Amino acid sequence: MTEAFRSLKLVPKAESPQSAKEFKTDQEVRWCPGCGDYAILAAVQSFMPELGIRRENTVFVSGIGCSSRFPYYMNTYGMHSIHGRAPAIATGLAASRPDLSVWVVTGDGDALSIGGNHLIHALRRNVNLKILLFNNRIYGLTKGQYSPTSEVGKITKSTPMGSLDAPFNPLSLAVGAEASFVARTIDSDRQHLQSVLRAAAEHEGTALVEIYQNCNIFNDGAFEVLKDPNTRDEALIRLEHGQPMVFAGQGVFRGADGELHVAEVTEANRSEVLVHDVHHPSAARAFALTRIADADTLHHTPIGVLRDVRRPVYDTLMADQLEQAASAKGAGDLAGLLTGADTWTVS
Amino acid sequence: MTSQVDQSEAVGGSDGEGQGAAPPPSGGRSRPAKPIRRLDRVIIRFAGDSGDGMQLTGDRFTSETASFGNDLSTLPNFPAEIRAPAGTLPGVSSFQLHFADHDILTPGDAPNVLVAMNPAALKANLPDLPRGAEIIVNTDEFTKRALAKVGYAADPLADKSLEAYHLHKVPLTTLTLEALKESGLARKDAERAKNMFALGLLSWMYHRPTHGTETFLRQKFAKKPEIAEANISAFRAGWNFGETTESFAVSYEISPAELPAGTYRNISGNLALSYGLIAASQRSGLPLFLGSYPITPASDILHELSKHKNFGVRTFQAEDEIAGIGAALGAAFGGALGVTTTSGPGVALKSETIGLAVSLELPLLVVDIQRGGPSTGLPTKTEQADLLQAMFGRNGEAPVPIVAPSTPADCFDAALEAARIAVTYRTPVMLLSDGYLANGSEPWRIPEVEELPDLRAEFATGPNHTLEDGSEVFWPYKRDPQTLARPWAIPGTPGLEHRIGGIEKQDGTGNISYDPANHDFMVRTRKSKVDGITVPPLEVDDPSGEARVLVIGWGSTYGPITAAVRRVRADGGKVAQAHLRNLNPFPANLGAVLKAYDRVIVPEMNLGQLALLLRARYLVDAQSYNQVRGLPFKAAQLADVLFAAIGTLEGDEQND
């Protein structure tokens, strides 16, 4: 049993160690063969025992899309809801049940297009939710239209001459929406994925984890440059809190204009390489980090935790108000409430 | 009909004559010997600019009247704009109050007294006034400019156009300023107390108790005692003005009403509904979770519930209508009494989530305070045109039980009834109130908590099914054979972990199923569950037993229809009345009731939505009578309709 995760302090602890197998259901997994979702599912199932909480106090809530089938395969409580609304539904659940560990599974269409409003409001409220955003930069379940994270000019069934609209950067959006925890990981790197899940679970409040996920049917190889052993070391910036941001002989520096940029690390500039600080109070640093990757080539993509700051948690605040009201006014007295102040009697 | 101009006089002179006559607010002085007339009922309308405080004035007069013990019914009527352009016809805000020494059902058709704070208020409301009505006008506002603004070519106070009325010309503003000249308030602030001057004057005219208003003003302006005192001074000045001026020669007494024994308070529909929700939470043992987005005329429920956190009530002001219901549904999954409150446009946005709740079979209350539509429509006016939206406004076969309160106080019981259905049958329930019920008020006999229904719900605690191999499992869609409700197993319950969703589920296991026969079975089962909900039988009021015309309504038309029925019967007409509170499912005896009458009249504030359902379901030739003016029906108007229906039946007979 590990030490209790901070965000799970109100969740009942498991009585005995759990195994990944206990988190699997008897339902046949119905994603396309080769889908990145399989790797994420396996990583999550084998990670869950680490939390050390009762399985029945864990809930997965999803919206609609390929990723949103996820809850059916987790032997916890779960709800496969409607398109885009999972953060709203999970907010109601988490806000009324502080004894639960609530996870949202969503995709780039679900979270950023139809459900964009719920996502940003969950983030600003800082509800105790862990949101796993599977980003494959395409619509899979509707068979291959471009998504709000697809690159401009994407040729798809709905955009035969190329898509016209500029994509969202999900992590920039999250930081802009006052997210207290923002991270990115990759479906195929189980160790890294689990390290990010661990940090997210530890975080009190909303954690947004963007998972780059391969759709081998409609957008195959979208993140190949980040996975191919020949290119990934040059392309990925593996963020570690308290460590200088260096990779493949290069480093992250702050330029004279205040912007972050990548440059070769030399003896002369080695001391100027920025040290990653996930707890940096300014959102500007995290925002700049979300912008450092080249949107077209994905070069210099930071993965790991970009931001992890402490901020009051919505559900705790809500529970506190209930307690305050009860201690100030006493527990609710229904007869007194119904009677009120101005009455008259007819005999 | 009684009005105060045709009442016999009961000349009195002493302070204490008549039950509960009001003491002078300033205390000490005795009432001068002005005649007092007894009335059995009065309809007063306060009208002014939307910034003149007419709603507050009406509310206070209502509270005074309630504490005096009259029966009453109110109709606030105000523009959607917070401060509509001053002095214009669309900017007029009014508050109508009907009070009586007997039980009454409506805010009244036509005011006996109009208080008009400016020319716009006079012009907008004059068409509703019967000849002989009293008009009290604030002459200070009848300037050339103000008159021109609303299209008066000549001053109606100076020409003979108001000859048919009993006109009181009162310089309300001047008198208020005069009364407050020592207060040290700026003119602008002092002027704003003129509504309290008017309230004081009316309180004198009708012998209202005044203590409550003074207490209210002290509390309301606790942080600005000089404003509180100014308002109280204006209120007292208005009372004293009535007492001393010759313009008001008589005052009126309306004895307390003979209501069933009990303790009463005055209550609006939205307040009663809020209390009903809290009571449902207490009686079910389920914590209340409200997910809501502000919308007129439903927001007051959000405001009210947010005050009662000590009852364990969680209120969540969501980012939009969809999140409001989504959060409520999420909370319901976790074992809360999930509620969302909205109006018609919000229901449209929530439709998909209501469908999800139908599929998940979780308890959920969807409260629709209907308003004029379509689209934004008439946000502050009433209508009952969401019945078909409530009934059918979702994709697929998605039946939802519907409950509709009939009076402001009935909103309390209707909320409990909706919660009973939701919790017992594990289904979303639509509670259809409307703007008239929401803002209107009436006396409410406060129930004893022990009288309220027991709504205790049981969560699933263990396996409910044995597999062929003998193992015990939990099936989330294995139903109670009586109610067809599925078990409610909330997260945190060991061994009952399960997944539910909007995709079609296999009967019993709840696993995803695309099987054609299973889908057909599940669609029919969800319908059977709703059709099988136990609802009380429809009661028919037909005292003679000889009526051939039935008038049937639903929701807030109860008051006007019942008042119309009384008129018809008083004039010798025979008519039966029934009122639907459960609209899905309908009471089991509804078909038989409809077929027992030769003519069925269905008055609705829509274009015939209930009539459509009745005709479709029971093959009866239900006749619609419709109005969509944003205002409740008038009893006289409906009485004419009923007389005409009785008349045509008799006419048919003569032709036979």
Side-chain angles (χ1 to χ4, degrees), chain B residues 274-608:
Chain B
S274 305
Y275 286 179
L277 294 173
I278 294 173
S281 163
Q282 297 276 305
R283 297 295 287 173
S284 64
L286 304 172
L288 186 62
F289 184 97
L290 173 72
S292 183
Y293 186 76
I295 184 170
T296 302
S299 303
D300 283 341
I301 303 172
L302 168 62
H303 304 161
E304 184 61 34
L305 290 179
S306 66
K307 292 180 200 163
H308 302 294
K309 299 185 198 303
N310 60 325
F311 284 84
V313 174
R314 284 177 158 84
T315 54
F316 172 66
Q317 183 176 318
E319 59 270 22
D320 58 28
E321 295 281 359
I322 300 171
I325 186 171
L329 183 61
F333 183 61
L337 181 63
V339 182
T340 190
T341 48
T342 189
S343 187
V347 174
L349 286 164
K350 294 177 197 295
S351 297
E352 191 189 12
T353 312
I354 299 172
L356 176 64
V358 168
S359 182
L360 297 182
E361 302 191 42
L362 284 170
L364 181 69
L365 299 185
V366 181
V367 180
D368 176 3
I369 312 296
Q370 300 166 95
R371 65 189 218 188
S375 188
T376 307
L378 302 173
T380 59
K381 313 289 182 187
T382 197
E383 203 161 282
Q384 50 179 182
D386 292 349
L387 176 57
L388 294 183
Q389 177 176 232
M391 193 81 186
F392 299 119
R394 291 162 294 283
N395 64 303
E397 296 286 355
V400 170
I402 304 170
V403 178
S406 54
T407 71
D410 187 42
C411 290
F412 179 82
D413 295 312
L416 283 161
E417 167 70 352
R420 174 189 73 85
I421 293 173
V423 170
T424 307
Y425 296 89
R426 315 279 147 80
T427 175
V429 176
M430 295 284 276
L431 185 53
L432 285 185
S433 176
D434 64 29
Y436 165 53
L437 295 180
N439 292 320
S441 64
E442 65 176 353
W444 176 47
R445 193 185 68 79
I446 302 161
E448 297 293 330
V449 170
E450 300 72 40
E451 294 171 21
L452 302 177
D454 181 352
L455 301 176
R456 262 174 300 185
E458 281 189 15
F459 297 126
T461 53
N464 61 351
H465 187 75
T466 310
L467 295 177
E468 279 179 12
D469 65 5
S471 52
E472 300 275 306
V473 292
F474 176 67
W475 275 13
Y477 279 79
K478 183 165 177 173
R479 296 171 188 281
D480 178 290
Q482 293 296 313
T483 60
L484 297 183
R486 73 176 194 89
W488 191 4
I490 64 170
T493 317
L496 308 192
E497 295 86 356
H498 64 282
R499 279 64 53 192
I500 54 177
I503 297 189
E504 187 59 279
K505 288 153 289 284
Q506 188 179 47
D507 178 39
T509 66
N511 292 329
I512 290 179
S513 168
Y514 301 121
D515 178 65
N518 178 74
H519 178 57
D520 189 90
F521 177 80
M522 291 295 274
V523 167
R524 290 173 195 275
T525 303
R526 285 186 287 262
K527 173 119 179 14
S528 299
K529 181 176 80 167
V530 172
D531 288 348
I533 291 169
T534 306
V535 303
L538 182 65
E539 287 176 24
V540 181
D541 177 43
D542 183 6
S544 71
E546 293 167 4
R548 297 177 58 198
V549 172
L550 171 74
V551 58
I552 184 164
W554 67 278
S556 75
T557 52
Y558 174 76
I561 293 175
T562 310
V565 165
R566 283 186 188 175
R567 283 173 187 234
V568 170
R569 290 178 185 160
D571 288 349
K574 289 182 177 118
V575 63
Q577 186 195 357
H579 206 75
L580 286 165
R581 191 181 199 225
N582 293 90
L583 290 134
N584 194 28
F586 284 131
N589 64 334
L590 175 57
V593 167
L594 294 172
K595 289 189 166 75
Y597 294 89
D598 296 324
R599 190 140 297 174
V600 176
I601 308 291
V602 191
E604 291 181 86
M605 296 187 291
N606 59 43
L607 297 186

Side-chain angles (χ1 to χ4, degrees), chain A residues 300-320:
Chain A
H300 312 153
T301 295
I303 62 168
V305 180
L306 282 79
R307 180 167 171 77
D308 180 1
V309 295
R310 292 191 86 157
R311 198 151 74 68
V313 179
Y314 185 82
D315 14 333
T316 310
L317 295 172
M318 192 183 237
D320 288 350

Side-chain angles (χ1 to χ4, degrees), chain B residues 97-401:
Chain B
L97 168 70
H98 183 187
F99 58 105
D101 67 0
H102 56 280
D103 76 311
I104 52 169
L105 298 149
T106 74
D109 288 2
N112 306 114
V113 186
L114 171 70
V115 179
M117 300 298 279
N118 64 11
L122 177 66
K123 188 160 194 188
N125 291 288
L126 199 55
D128 292 340
L129 258 57
R131 296 169 70 84
E134 296 202 47
I135 303 175
I136 300 167
V137 293
N138 179 11
T139 52
D140 289 324
E141 294 294 319
F142 280 65
T143 61
K144 268 191 182 163
R145 197 155 159 260
L147 290 164
K149 208 172 202 171
V150 293
Y152 273 124
D155 186 351
L157 308 184
D159 63 23
K160 294 186 170 178
S161 58
L162 299 177
E163 255 186 356
Y165 307 95
H166 190 67
L167 183 65
H168 301 274
K169 295 193 267 189
V170 184
L172 281 170
T173 313
T174 307
L175 290 167
T176 304
L177 290 173
E178 180 67 21
L180 300 184
K181 66 180 181 214
E182 310 285 319
S183 70
L185 285 185
R187 183 190 163 94
K188 202 175 147 212
D189 291 329
E191 253 190 54
R192 296 186 58 181
K194 64 180 183 290
N195 61 333
M196 287 300 113
F197 188 97
L199 179 63
L201 173 56
L202 271 288
S203 300
W204 172 83
M205 275 178 78
Y206 294 98
H207 296 222
R208 299 294 94 181
T210 55
H211 178 72
T213 294
E214 298 199 359
T215 307
F216 167 85
L217 289 169
R218 288 210 170 86
Q219 282 170 0
K220 180 175 169 70
F221 298 109
K223 287 180 182 157
K224 294 177 181 170
E226 70 283 3
I227 300 283
E229 288 313 312
N231 275 287
I232 290 167
S233 299
F235 177 63
R236 290 178 175 175
W239 198 95
N240 291 332
F241 178 78
E243 188 181 49
T244 53
T245 187
E246 287 176 8
S247 173
F248 294 89
V250 289
S251 63
Y252 304 94
E253 248 184 32
I254 297 90
S255 302
E258 301 265 329
L259 297 169
T263 303
Y264 285 78
R265 67 181 286 174
N266 186 54
I267 201 158
S268 70
N270 272 352
L271 187 60
L273 205 153
S274 305
Y275 286 179
L277 294 173
I278 294 173
S281 163
Q282 297 276 305
R283 297 295 287 173
S284 64
L286 304 172
L288 186 62
F289 184 97
L290 173 72
S292 183
Y293 186 76
I295 184 170
T296 302
S299 303
D300 283 341
I301 303 172
L302 168 62
H303 304 161
E304 184 61 34
L305 290 179
S306 66
K307 292 180 200 163
H308 302 294
K309 299 185 198 303
N310 60 325
F311 284 84
V313 174
R314 284 177 158 84
T315 54
F316 172 66
Q317 183 176 318
E319 59 270 22
D320 58 28
E321 295 281 359
I322 300 171
I325 186 171
L329 183 61
F333 183 61
L337 181 63
V339 182
T340 190
T341 48
T342 189
S343 187
V347 174
L349 286 164
K350 294 177 197 295
S351 297
E352 191 189 12
T353 312
I354 299 172
L356 176 64
V358 168
S359 182
L360 297 182
E361 302 191 42
L362 284 170
L364 181 69
L365 299 185
V366 181
V367 180
D368 176 3
I369 312 296
Q370 300 166 95
R371 65 189 218 188
S375 188
T376 307
L378 302 173
T380 59
K381 313 289 182 187
T382 197
E383 203 161 282
Q384 50 179 182
D386 292 349
L387 176 57
L388 294 183
Q389 177 176 232
M391 193 81 186
F392 299 119
R394 291 162 294 283
N395 64 303
E397 296 286 355
V400 170

